[in-house]
Amino acid sequence: MEPQRPDPEQLLRQVKDETKHRGKLKIFFGACAGAGKTFAMLSAAHEKYKEGVDVIAGIIETHGRMETIKLMEGIPSLPLRKIEYQGITIRELDLDAAIDRNPNILLVDELAHTNAIGSRHPKRWQDVQELLESGIDVYTTLNVQHLESLNDLVADFTGIRVKETVPDSIFDNADEIVLVDIPSEVILERLQEGKVYLGEFAKQRAAQHFFKIENLIVLREIALRRTAERVDALRDIYKKFQSKKQSIADKILVCVGPGVLSTKLIRQAKQLASKLKCPWTALYIENDQHYVLAKEEQDFIKKALRLAEQLGAKTESLQETQTAEAIIHYAQQNNVTKIIVGKSRTPRWKHWFLRSLVNDIIDQSGIIDVYVITEDTPAPALKKKHSTFGLWLSFVNAIFVIAICTLLGLPAREWHIPEAVLTIYLTGIVIIAMTAEKASALLAVLLSAICYNFIFIPPYYTFYIHRMRDIVLLSLLLLTGLVISIHTSRLHQQSLFARQKEKYTAELYDLSRKLVITPSKTKVARVAAHHIGEIFDCAATIWVPDNLGDLELVSHPGIKAELKEESVAQWTYKHNQIAGFGTNTMPSARGYYIPLSNGESVFGVLGIIPKDKNKTFSIEEITLLGSLAIQTASALERVKIAEQMQKEKAIQNKIL
């Protein structure tokens, strides 16, 4: 029997994959605006153009500077893409035109620029990432204050926080860094001559605060140090490659929480990881308090984890009831040597009654180093997840329950059995703690003590106590009530937490059971889309590639998808990354798109289109979506393998 001949189309795709290369990134890096980065980039481009290299200017921000405009002469430019926004025409880099033109080198000025709403990516550095993946070399410019990990440091020195930032991984993974360095005095001279574009700073404010000689000296030193750190990192990588050793001494774990302090912790962790040249992880623990967090607090958590990913960290989210124990257990299991945790500014009296997470971690850390970072300013008060009306209603219920307990205890006063009254009040406290917030339970404890003293301790209807026995009983009521209310409220939250986990487990099991008995690709897509749509009360779509590799909407055959949504799904499938609304890639889309991947191959795309345009997915919902996507991908992989086996069996039968 002759061996089976290889598929020519498969060989052609393999050759294309092997010949495809990632483009190279060259960053012209400076201390601040006016250092001459764009001028240096255009000068380097002219040299390449004279050598016969295909150089195209994708977008150059001239800001009306004649020197820059004159230097652009002779270099071909791509037409800019026009975007209409609120009656204003904004010109941005035409990403599709640049990829279709496919030059050897593309010039893209101002890497930290924020694109206009309606662009494929919110940030220009994301455009550059896609250009590099398409095999195009890119020249770009960047100021030191736009590096994400240095954002807090620069703000502390200059007093001005820059909003447009670039992940450090872009800088660290660049193929070449050109430091454009000129004396600080020269920059001030250029500022006086009007040759410096002030950008996001008001002119007067920039001259008074940012462009001061001491600030420029500090920025220049930071730029030099950051460039030197990258050179050291490259040298270490080279040594490691030469010795074939990968011994990592340190691992850093940064603890993320529901507050603005988390972003500072992540930037500090990135700086420490860069200095120690070690991996780092951002960890969030979904404890029993997670489900009562304010919406703003949950948004802080999602933004912090997303920032950590952009800076090169591994992110983890675990569901555990005991936060400190979970952090230490994770650190020990993953050989973490340093833990970074934040300490919020809280009133001193709270430390007398409440345990501190920082102290718990330090007590249990053992040989692990713990770095404690305190927030600069007290966190702003946030609106709680429950409504004000609901909180007041729970207070009214607490008052009502204690009133009922008081009425039930009146006969016991005549019988002179104070222990019975205490039991009745403690029962009411337990009922309130199991059904309401902790604040309502504490109010019930206070009301119980007041009512017991006023009504059941002689002399009646006064707060005077003259017997030691009554003082002891009242103290027992307060102490026991506090302990019961706190622990019962905690158990109530833990039960909600356990029910949520049980619900998610049941949903995963239900989908798995349905997919196991589903034989075809189309039916798998329909079953998964219907099941996921019911869970999240939204429109769910499944996209699977056809024989030519183009995505088709197999979960809803016969329905033509919107062109914009289809393009987002295609991008997700091609890059094996999430995209769509709520992400950093094409956020103006209506849907949230997840690749159906087993880690190596992509079998399709899951799209979620919420009915409510303002809906945002919580961390646990995103985690559940990821798990459902993995199950769907496994089912599609199983169907694909079964189809291949059937084809091979049919070929063998023909040969025999």
Side-chain angles (χ1 to χ4, degrees), residues 472-571:
V472 172
L473 289 175
L474 182 62
S475 301
L476 285 175
L477 174 60
L478 276 171
L479 181 61
T480 308
L482 284 172
V483 173
I484 289 177
S485 63
I486 292 174
H487 284 278
T488 305
S489 296
R490 182 176 297 173
L491 288 173
H492 175 60
Q493 295 294 338
Q494 289 178 359
S495 67
L496 294 176
F497 177 74
R499 270 183 277 173
Q500 191 72 21
K501 290 182 67 175
E502 183 181 356
K503 175 186 174 183
Y504 287 165
T505 303
E507 297 292 358
L508 290 172
Y509 173 75
D510 191 24
L511 178 61
S512 177
R513 180 178 56 81
K514 291 178 180 178
L515 292 178
V516 165
I517 59 176
T518 307
S520 66
K521 177 175 67 176
T522 302
K523 290 184 177 180
V524 165
R526 290 181 182 177
V527 168
H530 178 73
H531 187 83
I532 295 172
E534 284 187 340
I535 294 175
F536 294 95
D537 189 25
C538 63
T541 57
I542 302 291
W543 306 70
V544 177
D546 56 18
N547 296 330
L548 299 177
D550 297 325
L551 284 184
E552 57 179 352
L553 187 59
V554 294
S555 60
H556 298 77
I559 298 179
K560 181 64 176 177
E562 296 179 16
L563 182 60
K564 186 174 186 179
E565 302 301 313
E566 184 177 356
S567 64
V568 181
Q570 289 280 4
W571 191 93

Side-chain angles (χ1 to χ4, degrees), residues 344-630:
S344 59
R345 292 176 179 264
T346 55
R348 187 177 297 273
W349 63 267
K350 285 190 176 182
H351 298 292
W352 301 342
F353 301 99
L354 302 176
R355 286 286 297 172
S356 168
L357 175 63
V358 174
N359 292 335
D360 288 343
I361 292 175
I362 293 174
D363 292 342
Q364 303 176 41
S365 60
I367 61 173
I368 302 174
D369 297 333
V370 180
Y371 293 73
V372 181
I373 298 175
T374 306
E375 64 181 351
D376 299 326
T377 56
L382 297 175
K383 185 179 179 181
K384 294 299 180 183
K385 193 170 185 178
H386 50 70
S387 64
T388 305
F389 174 77
L391 182 61
W392 281 106
L393 183 61
S394 66
F395 286 162
V396 172
N397 289 336
I399 296 172
F400 177 76
V401 171
I402 297 303
I404 295 296
C405 292
T406 302
L407 293 175
L408 293 175
L410 286 176
R413 188 178 73 172
E414 304 298 330
W415 304 332
H416 301 286
I417 309 176
E419 293 81 3
V421 179
L422 293 181
T423 304
I424 293 173
Y425 276 129
L426 291 176
T427 303
I429 292 171
V430 171
I431 293 173
I432 296 169
M434 291 180 61
T435 57
E437 299 290 335
K438 186 186 296 184
S440 301
L442 295 177
L443 175 63
V445 173
L446 181 61
L447 290 176
S448 298
I450 293 173
C451 292
Y452 181 73
N453 184 9
F454 189 74
I455 298 175
F456 296 97
I457 295 179
Y460 301 129
Y461 309 116
T462 68
F463 292 104
Y464 178 72
I465 305 175
H466 67 277
R467 294 187 303 182
M468 181 58 65
R469 177 173 177 268
D470 293 331
I471 295 176
V472 172
L473 289 175
L474 182 62
S475 301
L476 285 175
L477 174 60
L478 276 171
L479 181 61
T480 308
L482 284 172
V483 173
I484 289 177
S485 63
I486 292 174
H487 284 278
T488 305
S489 296
R490 182 176 297 173
L491 288 173
H492 175 60
Q493 295 294 338
Q494 289 178 359
S495 67
L496 294 176
F497 177 74
R499 270 183 277 173
Q500 191 72 21
K501 290 182 67 175
E502 183 181 356
K503 175 186 174 183
Y504 287 165
T505 303
E507 297 292 358
L508 290 172
Y509 173 75
D510 191 24
L511 178 61
S512 177
R513 180 178 56 81
K514 291 178 180 178
L515 292 178
V516 165
I517 59 176
T518 307
S520 66
K521 177 175 67 176
T522 302
K523 290 184 177 180
V524 165
R526 290 181 182 177
V527 168
H530 178 73
H531 187 83
I532 295 172
E534 284 187 340
I535 294 175
F536 294 95
D537 189 25
C538 63
T541 57
I542 302 291
W543 306 70
V544 177
D546 56 18
N547 296 330
L548 299 177
D550 297 325
L551 284 184
E552 57 179 352
L553 187 59
V554 294
S555 60
H556 298 77
I559 298 179
K560 181 64 176 177
E562 296 179 16
L563 182 60
K564 186 174 186 179
E565 302 301 313
E566 184 177 356
S567 64
V568 181
Q570 289 280 4
W571 191 93
T572 301
Y573 176 73
K574 178 181 177 182
H575 296 85
N576 193 16
Q577 297 177 13
I578 61 172
F581 118 97
T583 69
N584 288 327
T585 302
M586 292 176 265
S588 59
R590 293 173 54 225
Y592 176 80
Y593 293 86
I594 308 171
L596 299 175
S597 170
N598 62 358
E600 297 179 357
S601 303
V602 183
F603 301 96
V605 174
L606 167 63
I608 301 292
I609 302 178
K611 295 180 180 178
D612 183 5
K613 295 181 180 180
N614 298 321
K615 176 179 174 57
T616 58
F617 291 111
S618 63
I619 294 177
E620 58 271 14
E621 287 177 330
I622 292 176
T623 303
L624 178 60
L625 270 174
S627 301
L628 294 171
I630 292 174

Side-chain angles (χ1 to χ4, degrees), residues 22 24 38 58 89 107 135 140 160 191 201 238 241 249 260 270 333 369 398 410 434 461-462 493 508 517 560:
R22 179 179 171 85
K24 295 182 179 180
T38 304
T89 301
L107 309 182
T140 188
I160 297 177
L191 178 66
F201 311 115
Y238 176 75
F241 177 77
V260 293
K270 169 59 181 176
Q333 292 293 318
D369 297 333
L410 286 176
M434 291 180 61
Y461 309 116
T462 68
Q493 295 294 338
L508 290 172
I517 59 176
K560 181 64 176 177

Side-chain angles (χ1 to χ4, degrees), residues 38-317:
T38 304
F39 191 90
M41 179 181 69
L42 290 173
S43 299
H46 272 288
E47 293 180 4
K48 289 292 184 181
Y49 189 74
K50 291 177 182 178
E51 295 173 3
V53 179
D54 185 14
V55 180
I56 297 291
I59 183 167
I60 303 295
E61 305 287 359
T62 63
H63 303 299
R65 294 170 295 189
M66 296 307 300
E67 293 178 353
T68 307
I69 295 174
K70 187 175 181 180
L71 196 58
M72 284 184 61
E73 295 177 358
I75 298 179
S77 300
L78 279 178
L80 298 178
R81 180 168 176 253
K82 297 180 180 180
I83 300 176
E84 297 293 334
Y85 179 69
Q86 295 183 350
I88 302 174
T89 301
I90 303 174
R91 290 173 171 80
E92 296 285 2
L93 170 68
D94 194 333
L95 188 57
D96 291 325
I99 294 175
D100 292 339
R101 175 63 175 76
N102 194 28
N104 296 124
I105 298 175
L106 186 72
L107 309 182
V108 181
D109 203 7
E110 295 188 4
L111 185 62
H113 171 78
T114 299
N115 292 330
I117 295 177
S119 302
R120 181 181 305 177
H121 303 296
K123 300 291 185 178
R124 186 168 289 172
W125 61 263
Q126 294 173 310
D127 294 339
V128 170
Q129 286 285 82
E130 187 166 345
L131 290 168
L132 295 174
E133 291 175 3
S134 301
I136 301 173
D137 294 348
V138 176
Y139 284 8
T140 188
T141 61
L142 179 67
N143 288 327
V144 67
Q145 66 264 30
H146 293 292
L147 277 176
E148 181 63 57
S149 67
L150 301 176
N151 190 263
D152 292 326
L153 181 63
V154 173
D156 290 340
F157 278 112
T158 64
I160 297 177
R161 184 175 297 277
V162 177
K163 296 181 180 179
E164 294 181 325
T165 58
V166 174
D168 286 53
S169 58
I170 305 295
F171 182 86
D172 294 331
N173 295 329
D175 297 274
E176 185 177 355
I177 301 293
V178 177
L179 180 62
V180 183
D181 182 42
I182 62 174
S184 303
E185 294 79 6
V186 176
I187 295 179
L188 290 177
E189 291 177 5
R190 290 173 57 83
L191 178 66
Q192 295 296 329
E193 296 171 359
K195 296 181 179 180
V196 177
Y197 175 66
L198 300 181
E200 56 194 291
F201 311 115
K203 199 165 189 176
Q204 184 178 0
R205 186 184 180 191
Q208 293 177 352
H209 297 281
F210 193 84
F211 285 92
K212 294 192 294 187
I213 186 66
E214 55 268 29
N215 286 347
L216 296 179
I217 292 174
V218 169
L219 290 173
R220 188 182 179 194
E221 181 180 351
I222 294 174
L224 290 169
R225 286 181 177 273
R226 189 64 181 87
T227 307
E229 287 177 4
R230 184 180 182 277
V231 173
D232 291 341
L234 292 175
R235 182 190 61 195
D236 293 341
I237 292 173
Y238 176 75
K239 288 181 178 179
K240 187 182 294 183
F241 177 77
Q242 290 293 330
S243 61
K244 302 294 183 181
K245 294 181 180 179
Q246 291 187 342
S247 57
I248 299 175
D250 289 303
K251 286 186 178 180
I252 297 173
L253 178 67
V254 56
C255 303
V256 176
V260 293
L261 178 60
S262 294
T263 56
K264 181 178 180 180
L265 296 178
I266 288 171
R267 290 174 181 138
Q268 293 285 346
K270 169 59 181 176
Q271 292 183 32
L272 182 60
S274 298
K275 291 178 181 178
L276 298 177
K277 304 173 182 63
C278 66
W280 61 294
T281 301
L283 175 66
Y284 172 66
I285 303 297
E286 292 183 22
N287 57 18
D288 50 3
Q289 295 297 315
H290 173 77
Y291 299 101
V292 296
L293 291 177
K295 181 179 181 300
E296 292 87 348
E297 291 176 313
Q298 294 197 2
D299 290 341
F300 282 143
I301 297 168
K302 289 188 285 187
K303 290 177 181 177
L305 293 176
R306 191 179 305 161
L307 173 63
E309 289 180 346
Q310 292 176 355
L311 292 178
K314 175 185 176 184
T315 59
E316 293 281 359
S317 180

